[in-house]
């Protein structure tokens, strides 16, 4: 990731893609299973559906518990905001009208397999990163850049794990 100079209010985003030698139905089975997400993530520790939901659907909510060396541990509630089976699974962290982040998996049939992308947009709602920015406003651009670079690195690892699972 190259330096962008983005600030939190710019709602910076990053996307990572990978080609998987498996049908979209198989890839979808994996990416839409939130219980599998902690095994593919370096930060997410656990996930559970809320309000009696048993799986993804627009409006369904889930709680996630995460851990980061510098940011500590936290829990967040997410709401599914995009849901098209075998195509798109997206969620807002926190308030869907003012999310701390937006996340999305997108699947596209390609070359006899599936192109899987993972995308994240930071903000515009406040997050744990907002606290660091509040304490060091003169370093906001660097804080945002470092976190976006972490997202990119972690998402690359997540997609590689999904690829290995789907192709096994």
């Amino acid at each position: 990731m190259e330096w962008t100079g983005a600030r939190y209010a710019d709602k910076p985003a990053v996307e990572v893609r990978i080609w998987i030698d498996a049908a979209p139905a198989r890839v979808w089975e994996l990416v839409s299973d939130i219980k599998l997400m902690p095994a593919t993530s370096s930060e997410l520790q656990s996930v559970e559906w809320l309000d009696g939901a048993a799986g993804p659907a627009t409006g369904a909510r889930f709680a996630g518990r995460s851990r980061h060396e510098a940011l500590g541990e936290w829990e967040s509630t997410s709401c599914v905001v995009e849901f098209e089976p075998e195509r798109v699974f997206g969620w807002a962290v926190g308030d869907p009208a003012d999310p701390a982040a937006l996340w999305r998996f997108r699947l596209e049939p390609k070359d006899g397999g599936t192109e899987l992308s993972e995308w994240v947009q930071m903000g515009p709602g406040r997050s744990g990163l907002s606290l660091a920015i509040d304490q060091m406003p003169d370093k906001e651009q660097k804080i945002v850049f470092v976190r976006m670079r972490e997202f990119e690195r972690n998402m690359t690892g997540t997609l590689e794990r999904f690829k290995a699972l789907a192709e096994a």
Side-chain angles (χ1 to χ4, degrees), residues 14-33:
V14 64
E15 184 173 35
V16 177
R17 297 174 181 274
I18 197 167
W19 182 81
I20 300 174
D21 189 11
R26 172 65 180 141
V27 177
W28 176 258
E29 178 184 320
L30 298 169
V31 300
S32 64
D33 180 359

Side-chain angles (χ1 to χ4, degrees), residues 74-154:
W74 68 95
E75 182 173 321
S76 59
T77 300
S78 295
C79 180
V80 177
V81 294
E82 291 183 89
F83 182 74
E84 296 176 46
E86 297 186 23
R87 302 225 1 108
V88 180
F89 177 35
W91 61 95
V93 179
D95 179 357
D98 191 32
L102 291 170
W103 290 86
R104 178 189 314 123
F105 287 113
R106 185 177 301 278
L107 294 76
E108 295 287 336
K110 185 176 182 182
D111 299 330
T114 304
E115 182 176 73
L116 174 63
S117 67
E118 185 175 11
W119 172 89
V120 63
Q121 174 191 289
M122 187 183 293
R126 289 183 60 81
S127 71
L129 203 62
S130 302
L131 302 174
I133 293 168
D134 290 347
Q135 293 173 0
M136 299 175 281
D138 56 315
K139 295 184 177 165
E140 178 179 5
Q141 291 169 299
K142 183 174 182 180
I143 292 167
V144 168
F145 175 72
V146 167
R147 188 62 173 141
M148 294 304 290
R149 193 171 54 193
E150 285 178 341
F151 281 156
E152 183 179 52
R153 183 178 58 248
N154 292 342

Side-chain angles (χ1 to χ4, degrees), residues 37-53:
M37 286 185 191
T40 69
S41 171
S42 61
E43 290 185 21
L44 188 61
Q45 302 299 300
S46 66
V47 184
E48 65 182 291
W49 287 109
L50 301 174
D51 311 319

